[in-house]
Amino acid sequence: LLEQGTLTEYSIDVRHVITRYLVSGTDMQSRHEWDNTGNELDNPYFKPLRFRVIDREGKTISTPISRNDEVWVEIIGEAKKIDSLLTVGYALYEENGTMLYHTFHTDTAEPQWPLLRPGHCALRSRLPVDLLNEGVYRMECIGDLYDVRWLFAPGENAPRIEFEVQGGLSQSPLWVRKRRGLFAPVMNWSVTFQ
C-alpha cells in the first residue's frame, strides 16, 4: 500500500491491504473517532456529538488494540426529548462488511438501563475485544425510536469509525497469528478419562 509515494504497508493478505486502501482517503484521526461538525444528525431526541473507542483513561485509541486491552466504546451526545423507546448504541462489522452484532444502551433489563436526562451525556460500553480475531473492524453509531424510526441508521447515515485488533490472541505458544473464523475466543478445556 502506497500513500503519497511512500510504502505504508506490505502484506500477502490482499483483503487487508485493499481495506486499508479504501479507508486511506480519510485522515488517521477520523478513522478512530467521529466528531459532529455542526448540525449533523440533529433530531428531537438524541444528537450524537462524538463517537470513539477509548482506553480506561478516556483517551482515544489510535493504534492497534490487543485482545488483552481494556477498551470502551464512547458515544457523547445531547439528549433532548426523553422517550422510553429511545435506543442508542453501535453496530460492529468485520472488514468485509459482515455485521457481527449490534448493541444498544437498552440491552439489559430495564432497571439496569443508564438513565438519560436532557443535556450532554456520555454513554460507554466495554468492547469484547477478547472475543475478536485479529483484523480491522468498522463500527457505526446507531440510534432509533424502537420499531418506530431510525434517528441514525446502520449503513445509511450512521457515524463510522474503525479500529484494528492485533496480538494477544492467547497465552498459548501455539497461537501467534490470526486464527481461522470470525471470532477467536480463548476457551478453557478439561479432560476426563473413561
Side-chain angles (χ1 to χ4, degrees):
L1 177 64
L2 298 172
E3 287 184 22
Q4 298 179 351
T6 303
L7 179 67
T8 60
E9 189 159 345
Y10 178 80
S11 175
I12 61 171
D13 185 349
V14 175
R15 181 182 299 173
H16 173 78
V17 175
I18 290 172
T19 300
R20 284 292 193 207
Y21 168 75
L22 292 173
V23 298
S24 65
T26 57
D27 64 37
M28 287 303 293
Q29 185 70 7
S30 66
R31 290 183 194 173
H32 304 292
E33 69 180 285
W34 172 87
D35 287 303
N36 196 324
T37 59
N39 286 322
E40 292 178 74
L41 304 172
D42 198 12
N43 64 77
Y45 301 96
F46 186 93
K47 177 183 173 182
L49 301 173
R50 192 172 200 191
F51 178 48
R52 62 191 184 140
V53 178
I54 59 173
D55 62 18
R56 93 174 59 151
E57 284 83 37
K59 295 178 185 165
T60 301
I61 295 174
S62 60
T63 58
I65 298 166
S66 169
R67 290 170 32 101
N68 303 327
D69 293 342
E70 185 176 323
V71 179
W72 297 82
V73 177
E74 180 179 68
I75 302 167
I76 297 174
E78 180 185 359
K80 296 178 177 183
K81 179 180 176 184
I82 304 304
D83 189 301
S84 62
L85 298 178
L86 176 65
T87 61
V88 178
Y90 69 89
L92 183 67
Y93 302 83
E94 72 161 337
E95 62 187 320
N96 74 2
T98 300
M99 181 189 283
L100 300 178
Y101 67 86
H102 69 256
T103 180
F104 293 99
H105 81 285
T106 54
D107 281 355
T108 57
E110 191 171 350
Q112 298 170 345
W113 294 355
L115 184 61
L116 294 178
R117 61 176 191 250
H120 285 81
C121 64
L123 290 167
R124 289 184 179 172
S125 176
R126 189 158 181 190
L127 186 66
V129 179
D130 59 342
L131 180 65
L132 301 177
N133 210 338
E134 284 190 337
V136 176
Y137 294 87
R138 178 173 51 90
M139 189 179 290
E140 294 179 337
C141 180
I142 54 177
D144 70 351
L145 294 181
Y146 183 74
D147 273 351
V148 176
R149 74 178 177 115
W150 284 104
L151 304 174
F152 25 107
E156 293 178 24
N157 62 342
R160 300 170 187 219
I161 58 174
E162 78 167 36
F163 63 93
E164 182 175 4
V165 175
Q166 190 177 77
L169 289 174
S170 170
Q171 293 180 0
S172 168
L174 301 179
W175 294 111
V176 294
R177 63 180 174 270
K178 182 175 181 173
R179 296 172 73 172
R180 292 185 179 118
L182 292 176
F183 298 107
V186 175
M187 309 298 285
N188 291 316
W189 286 74
S190 65
V191 63
T192 59
F193 297 95
Q194 311 276 315

